[in-house]
Amino acid sequence: NHTRISEFILVGFKSHPGSQVLLSVLFSTMYIVTVVGNICMMLIIRRDPSLHTPMYFFLENLSTLDICYSSVITPRAALAFLLGRRSISYAGCASQMFFFSLFGTTEAFFLAVMAYDRFTAICNPLLYQVIMSRRLCVLMVVGSYLSGCINCTIQTGFTFSLSFCGHREVNHFFCEVAAVIHASCSNTFVNELVMLAVCGTIIVGTALVVFISYGYIIITIIQMPSAESRHKAFSTCSSHMMTICLFFGTVFFMYAQPGAASSPSKSNTISIFYTIVIPMLNPFIYTLRNREVKESLKKQFKR
């Protein structure tokens, strides 16, 4: 029989009150920077017709996704640290896990789609506008969200089919899948296997698309005749490569290896990077490392 509990207690980063206030200020600041930075990125892209290309269409959608992704976790965590209220309702925990998994999975597919876009632009420049049509771009975005929906439905459904037997403590600062599984008194072998299989398939599959795309991109760049063309081609990819390294590095460590659910305590610090830090850094990476965005920003400031 499944024991239905009314709430969970999130015990991640439990320390003395002074540290809790500091964490609240830190999380709140990072969230504000994330929202403002990504909104600015979206406005820059929308206001400049020269940026109305497939690459920036995906980047605008990535900024929207990053705001949603961070909003699921950060405001509630900051408020919990400040007020010391670590309880979250059963339904609230399930909702948070659902949307966290949805946006996290969608981001992985977005990064793979953006890698394919760069591959097409650099390796097939003459056919780029034909291949990356508006219809295909929209289908790729919709497909990424649908893939996220499938994963979050599987993860949330399997996790909340477990019994918790009155044990309510979750060793995390949000309802992360592995941490909630670890709090269950049921046999979690199937859940851990499903998490490893599904998340591993998504991470490895999207990472393969990225690596194969960039493999061809690097070969094409090396074969370019002039240093200027090589530099220009590399500059359009460098910001995306930085985001990929940050995101897939932390996510692979968390979900694509055996034992991820058995030691959730190690995930508290690491998960800050892919839930809070990366969405905050993305606008800066794509602004500071992208010549077209910097030029557009200068033009808009002059106006």
Side-chain angles (χ1 to χ4, degrees):
N1 296 324
H2 299 294
T3 303
R4 182 82 177 205
I5 62 173
S6 60
E7 63 180 15
F8 292 97
I9 307 296
L10 303 173
V11 297
F13 295 121
K14 194 172 184 179
S15 57
H16 59 81
S19 297
Q20 298 296 293
V21 174
L22 183 62
L23 281 171
S24 178
V25 171
L26 181 63
F27 275 43
S28 299
T29 303
M30 289 194 291
Y31 179 65
I32 292 169
V33 173
T34 299
V35 173
V36 172
N38 281 286
I39 288 176
C40 286
M41 177 62 74
M42 293 161 64
L43 290 174
I44 291 167
I45 294 170
R46 289 194 177 189
R47 288 172 63 89
D48 191 341
S50 67
L51 300 182
H52 295 174
T53 63
M55 174 183 174
Y56 293 103
F57 171 75
F58 293 129
L59 187 53
E60 183 181 355
N61 278 278
L62 181 66
S63 292
T64 305
L65 183 65
D66 279 340
I67 292 173
C68 297
Y69 191 31
S70 185
S71 297
V72 172
I73 308 297
T74 317
R76 197 193 181 286
L79 194 62
F81 290 139
L82 182 64
L83 302 178
R85 296 177 183 172
R86 294 176 169 271
S87 62
I88 182 171
S89 68
Y90 186 91
C93 188
S95 298
Q96 189 180 59
M97 182 184 294
F98 180 90
F99 288 107
F100 158 72
S101 299
L102 168 63
F103 296 130
T105 305
T106 304
E107 179 134 350
F109 279 94
F110 261 28
L111 292 175
V113 164
M114 292 171 75
Y116 176 75
D117 171 71
R118 289 300 83 207
F119 158 76
T120 308
I122 293 171
C123 300
N124 297 289
L126 299 177
L127 296 174
Y128 178 62
Q129 294 296 335
V130 176
I131 295 172
M132 299 302 295
S133 64
R134 182 74 177 181
R135 181 173 178 273
L136 179 62
C137 292
V138 171
L139 285 174
M140 284 180 164
V141 170
V142 172
S144 297
Y145 275 102
L146 286 175
S147 301
C149 282
I150 292 170
N151 181 48
C152 68
T153 301
I154 292 171
Q155 298 293 351
T156 308
F158 268 82
T159 301
F160 284 88
S161 66
L162 295 170
S163 298
F164 293 94
C165 307
H167 183 70
R168 301 181 299 153
E169 289 193 350
V170 175
N171 189 14
H172 218 296
F173 64 92
F174 68 96
C175 288
E176 191 264 344
V177 180
V180 176
I181 288 174
H182 191 71
S184 173
C185 60
S186 303
N187 186 332
T188 61
F189 175 77
V190 174
N191 291 74
E192 292 184 37
L193 193 63
V194 168
M195 187 182 75
L196 180 62
V198 176
C199 293
T201 300
I202 291 169
I203 295 165
V204 173
T206 51
L208 275 175
V209 172
V210 169
F211 293 145
I212 291 171
S213 297
Y214 274 101
Y216 281 106
I217 287 170
I218 290 169
I219 293 170
T220 304
I221 291 175
I222 291 171
Q223 293 174 346
M224 287 179 177
S226 66
E228 184 182 351
S229 58
R230 288 195 296 270
H231 176 74
K232 184 179 179 181
F234 181 76
S235 67
T236 64
C237 301
S238 58
S239 54
H240 186 237
M241 289 173 69
M242 288 179 66
T243 303
I244 285 167
C245 291
L246 286 170
F247 182 83
F248 280 102
T250 53
V251 170
F252 182 85
F253 184 83
M254 287 292 301
Y255 297 107
Q257 58 174 327
S262 62
S263 55
S265 58
K266 72 180 181 181
S267 70
N268 281 278
T269 303
I270 298 168
S271 60
I272 290 177
F273 283 92
Y274 66 86
T275 58
I276 301 173
V277 175
I278 293 175
M280 179 185 68
L281 290 180
N282 278 347
F284 296 99
I285 292 172
Y286 281 101
T287 301
L288 299 176
R289 302 281 303 179
N290 191 300
R291 180 177 55 83
E292 291 176 330
V293 174
K294 285 191 286 187
E295 289 178 356
S296 175
L297 194 57
K298 288 177 184 176
K299 285 191 295 183
Q300 292 185 42
F301 270 122
K302 286 179 182 178
R303 290 174 191 171

